[in-house]
Amino acid sequence: MADQKQVIDLKGVGGYIRPEKLEELLAQKYGRKIKVEVKIDECYVFDAPGKPTQYHSTLPWTARQHNATIANGVDKAVELPASIDQALPNAAVKESGNEKESISPETSERALESSATITLTVTLLAESAIHEAPVKESSPSSSSKRPDAGKVVMVTASSGTGGFLGIPHMKERVYENRMSYADRHGYEHMWANISTYNLSHGEPIYWNKIPVLQEAFIRYPDVEWVWWMDMDIIITNHSLSLWDHVLSPEGMARNVVLDQMINKPGGGASGWKTPPSYNYSEVNFMIASGGWGMNIGNFLMRRSYWSEWLLDLWIDPFYIKEFTTFPENDGWTHMYRHHPIVRKHTVCTNQRALNAYPSYNHLGEHWQPGDHSVHFAGCGANAKCPARWDEYWELKEKYDVPAEVKKKLADGTAEIENIQKGIGLPEGADEEAVVD
């Protein structure tokens, strides 16, 4: 079989992906080495409403993409699909044996105020090349086979003080629980000392969560998802990966609630609902909705320009001044309620998917065996907290603790609160950029 090429023209498609990532996704889809070339034939950027500036170029993909920005015709606002299903939709490719016929997909709505004609030249290498550079196989149980392996960073943060909820050795137990889960599923883990992330005007420490999230994207430039978990959460189902649970199209469809009333903080109907539908490739934020509305103690955020914008908006001085009851949680609720662009890129799961509560807690639905995690929100300094924590610690699924995790806990080298703001960032990292 000779090398085959197919050319796909995409115009103004939302989402961003680099050619090397697209090659990886194509290789997974077709089971062979793939070569992707990207050229921009035409690009229009609207410098002012209705006044496009046109550039012609065949320059290759640039290392950094900018939102609807072209500087002197050099930096290209290239917009490519965020998943292989968008890049080569079923309707766009016909397969007959080893032959694949390219059909240009329909144009989707433009992202931002720009449009581009993008040519993807996809080369399916000859059979001989497959043997020279085979796609790496793994056992069905291996985390490396899942699309989210290496693409998730779990983020924990605490203030550097000695105790929490009065639970003996709680930080060590949380470390064991999360590092064991991360090791099993191929995720990264970051534990920040949140007291080093203070904002510039003495804002309450609750708001430090936002700069921690911003820096997580910078510290782990290869991850797609940042998964924030408050420290008062136990992962109870270690067999269930995030991909199978909520990140895959099937998992998301199984857990997302549509056209459902959202409760307000404190309980009771808010008068506004979750959207009636969602586009899987456009989901950038995932959070549970339940008895007391949305709780940002446990949520997932995808790397995107939208996420960079949202994190910047989230710590607007107006929000910090206005919201003092459930500070950063109320800020999030305000953005979701009043900004359609926030709702467009956010999905709400059922309560138990991401934020199940212990049986004593009246904030929402209670944890059931098999649930992914349990959240001790509101336990505070209650004298019963240690016993309640111990009860669910025993109820969690039994799992193997990696030898390295045991060793670090034993010799005091466990990475607990070891991350401090701005220290040890990757060389050349842009400290203000979520997306490179």
Side-chain angles (χ1 to χ4, degrees), residues 68-282:
T69 301
I70 292 184
N72 300 320
V74 176
D75 291 337
K76 303 302 172 185
V78 179
E79 296 161 71
L80 289 178
S83 74
I84 185 60
D85 293 329
Q86 278 189 292
L88 294 175
N90 293 333
V93 178
K94 292 182 179 179
E95 299 189 19
S96 176
N98 290 325
E99 301 296 325
K100 295 181 174 63
E101 177 185 352
S102 170
I103 303 174
S104 296
E106 294 181 357
T107 302
S108 66
E109 64 178 354
R110 287 185 310 180
L112 310 172
E113 287 294 324
S114 68
S115 67
T117 300
I118 303 168
T119 300
L120 257 65
T121 303
V122 179
T123 304
L124 302 180
L125 298 183
E127 290 292 344
S128 59
I130 300 174
H131 300 292
E132 294 170 8
V135 178
K136 184 178 180 181
E137 294 293 337
S138 57
S139 65
S141 61
S142 171
S143 65
S144 63
K145 193 174 182 65
R146 285 198 330 275
D148 65 337
K151 300 301 180 183
V152 175
V153 58
M154 304 162 60
V155 178
T156 305
S158 50
S159 63
T161 56
F164 192 85
L165 304 185
I167 300 170
H169 309 293
M170 180 178 178
K171 292 178 182 178
E172 289 78 11
R173 294 163 83 177
V174 169
Y175 178 84
E176 176 210 288
N177 182 250
R178 298 185 185 182
M179 289 298 291
S180 298
Y181 186 84
D183 180 79
R184 179 169 185 166
H185 297 292
Y187 303 150
E188 302 285 354
H189 183 257
M190 165 183 168
W191 194 320
N193 184 332
I194 200 168
S195 63
T196 69
Y197 287 80
N198 292 333
L199 298 175
S200 55
H201 299 293
E203 292 83 351
I205 197 170
Y206 312 107
W207 294 99
N208 291 14
K209 177 180 294 187
I210 314 308
V212 170
L213 289 165
Q214 291 171 320
E215 197 171 278
F217 281 111
I218 297 167
R219 287 183 179 276
Y220 298 89
D222 294 328
V223 304
E224 182 179 2
W225 289 94
V226 167
W227 175 18
W228 173 277
M229 280 186 293
D230 283 355
M231 203 173 76
D232 56 352
I233 291 174
I234 301 173
I235 302 173
T236 51
N237 188 343
H238 274 230
S239 298
L240 185 59
S241 71
L242 279 180
W243 177 255
D244 293 331
H245 184 36
V246 292
L247 292 185
S248 66
E250 298 79 11
M252 194 176 293
R254 184 172 57 249
N255 286 292
V256 166
V257 292
L258 302 175
D259 199 29
Q260 183 180 96
M261 181 66 66
I262 295 178
N263 285 349
K264 59 188 176 183
S270 65
W272 38 285
K273 297 182 176 183
T274 60
S277 63
Y278 67 93
N279 184 328
Y280 175 77
S281 65
E282 293 183 345

Side-chain angles (χ1 to χ4, degrees), residues 1-6 26 30 32-35 98-100 122-126:
M1 184 190 79
D3 289 5
Q4 301 176 41
K5 288 189 177 183
Q6 45 184 310
L26 284 165
Y30 292 117
R32 65 183 63 176
K33 186 178 178 182
I34 305 293
K35 177 64 178 174
N98 290 325
E99 301 296 325
K100 295 181 174 63
V122 179
T123 304
L124 302 180
L125 298 183

Side-chain angles (χ1 to χ4, degrees), residues 14-88:
Y16 299 83
I17 190 168
R18 292 190 175 120
E20 57 268 24
K21 175 61 178 176
L22 186 56
E23 288 177 0
E24 177 185 334
L25 294 171
L26 284 165
Q28 292 174 4
K29 183 177 180 69
Y30 292 117
R32 65 183 63 176
K33 186 178 178 182
I34 305 293
K35 177 64 178 174
V36 174
E37 299 171 357
V38 178
K39 291 184 179 180
I40 309 169
D41 296 328
E42 295 179 4
C43 191
Y44 297 85
V45 172
F46 288 76
D47 297 328
K51 296 181 179 179
T53 301
Q54 181 176 359
Y55 297 91
H56 292 275
S57 175
T58 55
L59 291 176
W61 180 276
T62 56
R64 177 174 174 82
Q65 309 307 320
H66 299 274
N67 279 355
T69 301
I70 292 184
N72 300 320
V74 176
D75 291 337
K76 303 302 172 185
V78 179
E79 296 161 71
L80 289 178
S83 74
I84 185 60
D85 293 329
Q86 278 189 292
L88 294 175

